[in-house]
């Protein structure tokens, strides 16, 4: 990509914020218009980018966080006069926070989201910003083609991380490589890492520690080879004279690729290597003394990346990932392995297709699903690319078009409903006016509602998956009771979790005798900054004459003050550091004074003249009125007051004071400073105080918000003219003698907002029971205001109480665990572990219909799992094949056997239960 000529604009000190904005905007427009595959983009932390956007747009009212393009961001918003951003600091995007890393190999944190944590900048924009502001580290990523047609461009923020395993040396190495690189490049890099000869190495897809596929199509991309993140790659070595090593043969014997008494290894040799060795025959050959058996069924067995087992039961065919289609693959596999559906769609179901149903898909969805199901149950193990089904899905449900990640439960709900309408046996739906219960027996009303439902909805989906609720509404005013019986396709159970969030803040008091204290308060996760300040106000007993200034501390500076009470708490991360400062209530004419401590950072062997001053500890905060004359003496006194809580008691004791007199002596000193403020000079101050605190020895430097130095006069009584800015930074150079007077250990580090430990990672000491989730779902609760019920007796909408009961249970019960929560400002995933029964899920006591003669027992046979966070996770399915009574993990095209003990995990998302048969094998 061509560099942009900077001319006279190479330094931002010569440019105004508006000039910076226009300059970057023009570069961004040109770069975005000419983006192509192979270009380089750079990650920059969202925090710094937002700070720069606000800085350069401070005179233009417009919103900055609207998801618009980069060039549009440069025409977005700001407010008031803002400080120029400091150096670019991408340390919060990587695991290694060293800013000196120039190798461009920093490992990016895996849970980042674009727009929330980082912004992607074209190379020209990044180069310009870095030339102005400096900093780093540099996080470059390549533009690749994506999508089924390979015409969409995307930045590969997370290249593949592959685990290379060398055989026979048992060596191991992890590499990062673009999924658009070829197998040839992977082969080359593997040889480079292990210092091997290209001609003597073969690489295998080693998914699940099984040889799934010999990767000998060197021009094939890793994307086309369907390699996944953190997948194992086996690097096999041939002896330098052309024979397979004895250690390799022993390892092959251990992996079942060779007979115990033979050296016949089932592999696909490198054709170029064999040709060089003199060729081989079509079946069994000797290759320089080693017998090689070339698989006759290579195309059907090793060309796939699925399980290469032989002679086992059907139903173990995987689905290729077409690009973020794991959500679809997992849901399809669960439906395909539902015995009732497998049997139905393998027979002649076409006669039940409702070609005229206006609510259906003219039979196309049912036909596409049926064709896919038959292929998945056909003999053979070659993974299937579900492109025809995906095309039908995109046609009838545009929300699932493209190749973004989606919610598998939402897809499942659409599929069940769509298949029902395509297969509805009712060709002409009658109009039915349902009657209220009006005191009639529940059994009579329930049967009437079900008959009305079946008269309009009759399909294999209803036969298998639909049950019936009893819904009871009670008016809070007139006590009118309304009972209805409604059908359901699945149960969406809430996971019990706290709607509040614990936030830890360090509070600094304006009471000059009090050390900072750490306070943890609970606030609503959806709350705002004002809610946190209100909770802190109560917790720290704030006086009516005081107010709290809440700040985020980063790199020994006040990174931001939370001055907008409507700032969402979601903008505060768990690993942030917060401080709250108690100050006297301020007026519009008040300037905040930020005290930043600096120490000399002298390294071994470094000359004194080259030693740099570096910020240290936690900054302190005070205030001063711009209307009063502020002198150098007053500045010293304010600094002394801020430091006085950290005064070492022994230093006071040396002056002849007993321990009991320390608080009184401190108070006297503070009162003296306050008297000086009122008088306006130091003439009436007691000399003992100044000498005791060493005020004249304090090395101070004042900096305004524009990083301009405010000169301090030699005369301590001479007034200092403060700028009109809202805050001033005071740098205090920490001399060695000050360490003898003050103990600032508690300022060295602040606790994180939420420090994760073993207890908080697990979240609960006891796993959450599925029965507890069901009880929470069935619990009586008032309707939300948006869903108020129209009471026919009051003739008004009322916030009625609602109680759900199970009345009729289906043959196949689908249970959705609501792990995802959404709001206007944030999305959240619950990692709660739910303890769900695999055998004998007993729902008998939860069914309100007491006329049932048999217990309501269910057996788990399938479930989908979701791993990772919102938008960047991965779906798999665990499925039990009833024919061989074994559990398997379906991970797109890869299928592997798992133990029943491994079925349960915190990733479980949608559970599929089947009603248990009675002793005679008859389905209830």
């Amino acid at each position: 990509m061509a560099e942009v000529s900077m001319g006279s604009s190479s330094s931002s000190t010569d440019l105004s914020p508006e000039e910076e904005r226009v300059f970057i905007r023009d570069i961004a427009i040109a770069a975005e218009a000419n983006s192509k595959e192979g270009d380089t983009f750079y990650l920059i932390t969202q925090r710094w980018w937002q700070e720069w956007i606000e800085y350069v747009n401070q005179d233009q009212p417009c919103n900055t966080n609207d998801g618009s393009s980069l060039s549009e961001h440069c025409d977005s918003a700001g407010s008031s006069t803002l400080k120029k951003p400091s150096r670019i600091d991408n340390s919060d995007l990587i695991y290694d926070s060293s800013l000196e890393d120039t190798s461009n190999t920093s490992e990016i944190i895996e849970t980042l989201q674009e727009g929330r944590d980082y912004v992607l900048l074209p190379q020209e924009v990044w180069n310009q910003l870095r030339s102005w502001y400096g900093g780093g580290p540099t996080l470059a990523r390549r533009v690749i083609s994506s999508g089924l047609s390979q015409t969409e461009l995307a930045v590969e923020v997370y290249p593949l991380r592959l685990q290379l395993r060398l055989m026979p040396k048992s060596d191991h190495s992890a590499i990062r490589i673009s999924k658009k690189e070829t197998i040839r490049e992977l082969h080359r890099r593997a040889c480079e890492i292990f210092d091997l000869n290209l001609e003597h190495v073969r690489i295998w897809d080693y998914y699940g520690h099984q040889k799934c596929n010999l990767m000998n199509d060197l021009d094939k991309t890793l994307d086309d080879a369907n390699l996944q993140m953190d997948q194992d790659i086996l690097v096999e070595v041939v002896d330098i004279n052309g024979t397979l090593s004895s250690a390799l043969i022993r390892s092959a014997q251990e992996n079942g690729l060779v007979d115990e008494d033979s050296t016949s290894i089932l592999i696909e040799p490198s054709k170029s290597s064999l040709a060089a060795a003199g060729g081989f025959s079509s079946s069994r050959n000797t290759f320089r003394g080693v017998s090689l058996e070339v698989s006759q069924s290579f195309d059907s067995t090793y060309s796939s990346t699925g399980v290469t087992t032989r002679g086992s039961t059907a139903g173990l065919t995987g689905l290729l990932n077409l690009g973020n289609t794991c959500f679809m693959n997992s849901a399809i596999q669960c439906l395909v392995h539902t015995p009732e559906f497998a049997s139905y769609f393998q027979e002649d179901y076409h006669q039940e297709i409702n070609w005229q149903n206006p609510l259906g898909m003219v039979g196309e969805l049912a036909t596409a699903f049926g064709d896919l199901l038959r292929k998945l149950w056909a003999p053979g193990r070659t993974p299937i690319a579900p492109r025809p089904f995906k095309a039908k899905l995109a046609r009838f449900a545009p929300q699932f078009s493209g190749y973004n990640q989606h919610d598998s439960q939402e897809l499942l709900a659409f599929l069940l409903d769509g298949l029902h309408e395509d297969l509805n046996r009712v060709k002409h739906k009658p109009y039915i006016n349902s009657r209220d219960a009006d005191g009639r027996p529940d059994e009579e009303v329930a049967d009437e509602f079900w008959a009305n439902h079946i008269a309009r909805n009759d399909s294999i989906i209803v036969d298998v998956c639909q049950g019936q609720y009893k819904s009871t509404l009670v008016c809070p005013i007139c006590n009118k009771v309304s009972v209805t019986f409604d059908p359901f396709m699945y149960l969406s159970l809430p996971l019990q979790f706290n709607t509040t969030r614990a936030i830890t803040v360090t509070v600094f008091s304006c009471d000059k005798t009090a050390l900072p204290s750490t306070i943890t308060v609970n606030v609503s996760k959806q709350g705002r900054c004002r809610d946190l300040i209100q909770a802190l106000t109560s917790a720290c007993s704030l006086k009516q004459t005081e107010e709290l200034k809440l700040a985020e501390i980063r790199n020994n500076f006040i990174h931001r003050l939370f001055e907008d009470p409507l700032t969402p708490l979601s903008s505060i991360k768990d690993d942030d550091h917060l401080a709250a400062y108690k100050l006297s209530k301020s007026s519009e004419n008040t300037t905040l004074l930020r005290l930043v401590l600096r120490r000399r950072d002298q390294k071994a062997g470094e000359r004194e003249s080259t030693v740099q001053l570096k910020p240290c500890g936690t900054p302190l905060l005070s205030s001063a009125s711009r209307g009063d004359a502020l002198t150098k003496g007053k500045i010293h006194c304010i600094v002394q007051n801020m430091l006085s809580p950290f005064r070492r008691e022994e230093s006071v004791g040396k002056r002849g004071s007993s321990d009991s007199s320390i608080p009184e002596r401190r108070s006297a000193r503070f009162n003296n400073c306050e008297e000086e403020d009122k008088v306006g000079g130091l003439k009436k101050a007691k000399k003992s105080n100044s000498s005791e605190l060493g005020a004249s020895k304090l090395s101070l430097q004042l900096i305004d918000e524009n990083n301009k130095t405010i000169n301090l006069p030699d005369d301590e009584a001479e007034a200092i003219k403060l700028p009109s800015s809202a805050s001033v930074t005071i740098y205090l150079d920490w001399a060695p003698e000050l360490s003898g007077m003050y103990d600032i250990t508690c300022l060295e580090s602040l606790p994180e907002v939420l420090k994760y430990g073993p207890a908080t990672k697990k979240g609960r000491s006891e796993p959450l029971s599925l029965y507890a989730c069901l009880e929470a779902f069935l619990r009586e609760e008032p309707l939300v205001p948006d869903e108020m019920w129209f009471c026919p007796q009051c003739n008004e909408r009322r916030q009625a109480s609602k109680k759900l009961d199970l009345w009729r249970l289906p043959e196949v019960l689908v249970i959705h665990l609501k792990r995802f929560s959404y709001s206007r400002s944030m999305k959240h995933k619950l990692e709660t572990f739910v303890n769900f029964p695999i055998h004998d899920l007993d729902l008998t006591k939860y069914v309100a219909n007491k006329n049932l003669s048999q217990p309501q027992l269910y057996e788990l046979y399938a479930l989908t799992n979701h791993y990772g966070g919102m938008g960047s996770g991965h779906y798999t399915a665990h499925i039990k094949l009833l024919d061989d009574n074994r559990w398997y993990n379906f991970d797109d095209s890869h299928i592997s056997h798992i133990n029943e003990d491994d079925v349960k995990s915190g990733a479980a998302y949608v559970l599929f239960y089947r009603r248990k048969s009675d002793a005679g094998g008859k389905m209830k």
Side-chain angles (χ1 to χ4, degrees):
M1 185 173 286
E3 294 292 332
V4 175
S5 176
M6 302 305 167
S8 61
S9 300
S10 59
S11 173
S12 69
T13 56
D14 302 329
L15 301 178
S16 67
E18 170 66 10
E19 289 171 329
E20 278 192 40
R21 180 187 68 82
V22 173
F23 197 87
I24 293 297
R25 183 199 62 188
D26 293 344
I27 297 176
I29 291 174
E32 289 178 347
N34 298 312
S35 292
K36 61 185 181 301
E37 185 176 4
D39 284 352
T40 302
F41 275 64
Y42 293 79
L43 279 75
I44 191 169
T45 176
Q46 172 71 27
R47 289 179 172 178
W48 190 94
W49 174 252
Q50 188 66 28
E51 188 177 342
W52 181 81
I53 287 292
E54 292 172 355
Y55 167 68
V56 299
N57 288 282
Q58 50 191 298
D59 298 325
Q60 301 185 18
C62 185
N63 191 5
T64 65
N65 196 19
D66 57 358
S68 54
S69 69
L70 178 61
S71 57
E72 289 172 333
H73 269 210
C74 293
D75 283 325
S76 54
S79 61
S80 70
T81 302
L82 297 174
K83 181 181 177 181
K84 187 181 183 70
S86 56
R87 285 164 51 98
I88 298 170
D89 181 6
N90 281 337
S91 60
D92 58 345
L93 302 182
I94 60 175
Y95 289 113
D96 179 9
S97 60
S98 173
L99 293 180
E100 283 72 32
D101 183 6
T102 59
S103 63
N104 199 27
T105 59
S106 301
E107 188 72 9
I108 297 177
I109 295 171
E110 294 182 356
T111 56
L112 302 180
Q113 292 184 21
E114 184 181 0
R116 185 195 71 181
D117 302 300
Y118 67 87
V119 173
L120 291 167
L121 302 181
Q123 182 174 352
E124 297 90 344
V125 174
W126 165 260
N127 288 343
Q128 185 61 73
L129 288 175
R130 195 168 187 227
S131 71
W132 285 344
Y133 291 93
T138 300
L139 304 173
R141 290 299 183 265
R142 203 174 72 174
V143 175
I144 62 173
S145 59
S146 64
L148 188 58
S149 62
Q150 297 294 302
T151 57
E152 301 174 19
L153 296 181
V155 178
E156 190 177 29
V157 176
Y158 294 100
L160 283 176
R161 182 174 54 231
L162 300 177
Q163 308 295 331
L164 302 182
R165 301 191 180 277
L166 179 64
M167 181 185 293
K169 294 184 179 180
S170 300
D171 201 357
H172 171 266
S173 180
I175 65 167
R176 284 279 191 183
I177 185 170
S178 171
K179 63 183 180 180
K180 292 301 179 182
E181 290 290 2
T182 62
I183 292 176
R184 186 187 309 278
E185 175 63 15
L186 175 61
H187 191 201
R188 186 195 67 79
R189 289 185 59 181
C191 292
E192 183 180 84
I193 289 171
F194 295 120
D195 194 21
L196 301 171
N197 190 316
L198 283 169
E199 294 296 321
H200 303 139
V201 171
R202 301 159 176 57
I203 55 176
W204 294 76
D205 179 344
Y206 200 49
Y207 182 84
H209 286 208
Q210 294 184 6
K211 288 187 175 181
C212 301
N213 183 21
L214 178 63
M215 301 172 67
N216 62 345
D217 186 352
L218 299 182
D219 294 325
K220 194 174 187 178
T221 68
L222 304 184
D223 191 19
D224 291 337
N226 200 35
L227 296 187
Q228 306 295 323
M229 186 70 72
D230 285 321
Q231 186 166 323
D232 290 319
I233 300 296
L234 184 64
V235 182
E236 273 189 338
V237 183
V238 177
D239 280 348
I240 194 165
N241 61 0
T243 62
L244 295 175
S245 68
S246 59
L248 174 60
I249 294 174
R250 286 197 303 272
S251 178
Q253 288 173 338
E254 293 171 0
N255 285 277
L257 297 176
V258 62
D259 299 335
E260 292 292 336
D261 57 351
S262 170
T263 58
S264 173
I265 302 179
L266 217 95
I267 62 171
E268 174 71 6
S270 167
K271 294 179 180 177
S272 60
S273 298
L274 291 176
F280 58 93
S281 63
S282 60
S283 56
R284 192 173 181 87
N285 306 273
T286 57
F287 173 56
R288 291 204 174 178
V290 179
S291 176
L292 298 175
E293 181 182 329
V294 183
S295 172
Q296 298 294 332
S297 57
F298 177 81
D299 290 339
S300 62
T301 304
Y302 288 104
S303 63
S304 74
T305 52
V307 172
T308 56
T309 56
R310 300 176 180 180
S312 58
T313 54
L316 291 177
T317 301
L319 289 167
L320 291 175
N321 193 319
L322 306 179
N324 283 327
T325 55
C326 57
F327 76 98
M328 180 183 76
N329 293 348
S330 60
I332 287 175
Q333 292 285 16
C334 289
L335 290 180
V336 162
H337 287 85
T338 298
E340 290 79 1
F341 294 155
S343 191
Y344 177 85
F345 282 98
Q346 290 187 82
E347 296 173 357
D348 186 12
Y349 64 92
H350 294 85
Q351 60 185 353
E352 291 200 338
I353 292 179
N354 191 331
W355 306 102
Q356 290 82 34
N357 187 356
L359 299 178
M361 290 78 174
V362 204
E364 293 187 32
L365 183 65
T367 302
F369 179 80
D371 291 346
L372 182 57
L373 181 144
R374 292 185 178 197
K375 290 178 182 177
L376 290 173
W377 278 101
R381 297 296 164 76
T382 303
I384 294 170
R387 290 188 178 91
F389 180 83
K390 177 75 167 59
K392 296 293 183 186
L393 183 68
R395 176 182 173 187
F396 294 109
Q399 66 269 30
F400 299 118
S401 62
Y403 295 91
N404 293 323
Q405 185 68 276
H406 294 282
D407 189 332
S408 69
Q409 187 273 332
E410 293 180 359
L411 171 73
L412 181 67
F414 170 80
L415 281 180
L416 289 174
D417 188 61
L419 290 174
H420 158 66
E421 296 296 352
D422 265 4
L423 299 169
N424 196 347
R425 303 178 185 110
V426 179
K427 301 302 187 285
H428 304 284
K429 295 185 178 183
Y431 173 77
I432 299 173
N433 186 16
S434 299
R435 295 188 298 155
D436 202 352
D438 289 332
R440 292 182 293 158
D442 284 347
E443 293 77 10
E444 176 186 339
V445 179
D447 288 344
E448 179 183 289
F449 270 82
W450 187 252
N452 292 343
H453 175 64
I454 295 299
R456 294 173 54 86
N457 302 277
D458 183 16
S459 70
I460 181 64
I461 305 299
V462 175
D463 297 343
V464 175
C465 292
Q466 286 201 352
Q468 192 178 30
Y469 291 130
K470 176 187 176 183
S471 177
T472 306
L473 292 171
V474 180
C475 177
I477 306 301
C478 68
N479 294 321
K480 163 70 176 175
V481 177
S482 173
V483 177
T484 57
F485 292 84
D486 304 312
F488 67 86
M489 192 86 77
Y490 50 85
L491 301 179
S492 285
L493 304 187
L495 303 188
Q496 294 177 328
F497 67 101
N498 291 329
T499 58
T500 59
R501 176 188 180 192
I503 293 183
T504 298
V505 182
T506 303
V507 177
F508 293 81
S509 177
C510 63
D511 178 358
K512 309 306 184 296
T513 62
L515 287 168
S517 59
T518 300
I519 296 177
T520 300
V521 294
N522 286 307
V523 292
S524 170
K525 285 185 176 180
Q526 312 297 333
R528 299 188 179 272
C529 186
R530 63 187 177 194
D531 302 315
L532 176 57
I533 292 178
Q534 184 177 355
L536 290 171
T537 297
S538 176
C540 68
S541 303
L542 196 70
K543 299 176 184 177
Q544 290 186 349
T545 57
E546 297 174 335
E547 65 178 353
L548 282 178
K549 292 289 186 182
L550 185 65
E552 178 192 345
I553 309 302
R554 196 195 305 173
N555 297 330
N556 310 109
F557 286 96
I558 294 179
H559 178 68
R560 57 171 171 167
L561 282 168
F562 294 91
E563 296 180 296
D564 183 357
L566 298 180
T567 300
L569 295 182
S570 58
S571 66
I572 299 175
K573 295 187 176 181
D574 288 342
D575 58 354
D576 285 344
H577 303 270
L578 298 185
Y581 301 91
K582 285 184 180 181
L583 301 176
S584 298
K585 285 189 175 178
S586 60
S587 63
E588 294 181 357
N589 201 29
T590 299
T591 296
L592 292 178
L593 303 177
R594 309 182 183 195
L595 178 64
V596 177
L597 309 182
R598 295 191 300 193
R599 275 200 180 106
R600 299 174 71 81
D601 186 30
Q602 186 170 7
K603 299 177 182 176
E606 192 174 6
R607 290 184 300 172
E608 185 75 18
S609 59
T610 61
V611 174
Q612 303 246 334
L613 288 169
K614 288 193 174 182
C616 64
T618 303
L620 302 175
L621 197 66
S622 186
S623 60
S625 173
R626 287 195 295 268
D628 298 334
L630 191 64
T631 64
K632 180 178 180 181
K634 280 189 178 181
I635 294 290
H636 278 278
C637 194
I638 290 172
V639 172
Q640 291 167 16
N641 282 344
M642 285 193 274
L643 292 175
S644 53
F646 313 102
R647 180 82 171 171
R648 294 183 184 273
E649 294 185 357
E650 56 268 26
S651 68
V652 178
K654 289 178 183 178
R655 303 294 175 183
S657 300
S658 64
D659 289 342
S660 59
S661 66
I662 290 173
E664 288 76 14
R665 290 180 59 84
R666 286 182 178 178
S667 297
R669 288 200 307 274
F670 305 145
N671 290 337
N672 287 337
C673 284
E674 289 167 3
E675 287 177 11
E676 293 167 31
D677 283 345
K678 295 176 182 178
V679 173
L682 291 175
K683 293 181 180 180
K684 295 187 179 181
K686 296 182 180 179
K687 293 182 181 180
S688 60
N689 292 327
S690 297
S691 61
E692 184 180 15
L693 293 176
S696 60
K697 296 181 180 180
L698 294 180
S699 175
L700 302 179
Q701 182 184 20
L702 270 64
I703 304 293
D704 66 13
E705 288 186 336
N706 295 317
N707 287 328
K708 293 182 179 179
T709 302
I710 302 173
N711 294 322
L712 290 175
D714 294 332
D715 185 356
E716 294 191 348
E718 183 179 339
I720 301 171
K721 184 178 180 181
L722 288 180
S724 58
S725 57
S727 67
V728 171
T729 300
I730 304 174
Y731 285 105
L732 169 59
D733 298 340
W734 198 255
E737 54 267 24
L738 290 177
S739 296
M741 300 171 61
Y742 300 101
D743 181 4
I744 59 171
T745 306
C746 61
L747 295 180
E748 290 180 358
S749 62
L750 297 182
E752 294 180 351
V753 166
L754 177 62
K755 181 66 177 178
Y756 285 99
T760 54
K761 280 186 178 179
K762 292 181 180 177
R764 296 174 58 93
S765 58
E766 295 293 333
L768 181 62
S769 165
L770 182 66
Y771 293 112
C773 297
L774 180 59
E775 289 165 4
F777 173 71
L778 298 176
R779 188 177 299 132
E780 182 176 355
E781 59 184 14
L783 297 174
V784 296
D786 292 341
E787 298 177 0
M788 290 201 298
W789 171 60
F790 184 83
C791 175
Q793 195 160 293
C794 297
N795 283 325
E796 288 188 28
R797 293 197 172 274
R798 302 294 189 192
Q799 193 173 9
S801 62
K802 182 176 183 179
K803 174 72 171 71
L804 288 178
D805 292 290
L806 301 178
W807 185 266
R808 188 188 309 266
L809 294 178
E811 296 302 313
V812 170
L813 179 63
V814 181
I815 297 178
H816 164 223
L817 303 177
K818 297 174 70 174
R819 293 199 176 275
F820 302 117
S821 60
Y822 304 87
S823 69
R824 288 185 301 174
S825 58
M826 66 179 296
K827 300 176 181 179
H828 180 64
K829 181 191 175 186
L830 302 173
E831 302 287 353
T832 309
F833 177 83
V834 178
N835 187 13
F836 50 89
I838 295 178
H839 308 285
D840 296 329
L841 172 65
D842 190 353
L843 301 179
T844 307
K845 73 174 184 178
Y846 300 103
V847 179
N849 184 2
K850 300 307 178 185
N851 292 333
L852 299 176
S853 58
Q854 298 290 340
Q856 303 296 295
L857 298 177
Y858 284 82
E859 190 92 357
L860 185 75
Y861 71 92
L863 68 151
T864 64
N865 303 293
H866 181 271
Y867 301 93
M870 297 286 294
S872 59
H874 181 62
Y875 286 96
T876 67
H878 291 339
I879 296 172
K880 183 179 183 179
L881 260 63
L882 302 183
D883 290 341
D884 62 357
N885 199 34
R886 300 177 73 189
W887 282 92
Y888 294 87
N889 177 48
F890 285 70
D891 185 354
D892 289 329
S893 58
H894 301 285
I895 304 170
S896 57
H897 170 256
I898 59 172
N899 296 321
E900 188 173 283
D901 294 340
D902 298 326
V903 170
K904 294 183 183 181
S905 75
Y909 186 40
V910 181
L911 311 176
F912 291 75
Y913 282 94
R914 191 166 180 250
R915 191 192 295 275
K916 292 190 71 172
S917 301
D918 59 19
K922 182 180 178 181
M923 294 300 297
K924 298 185 185 74

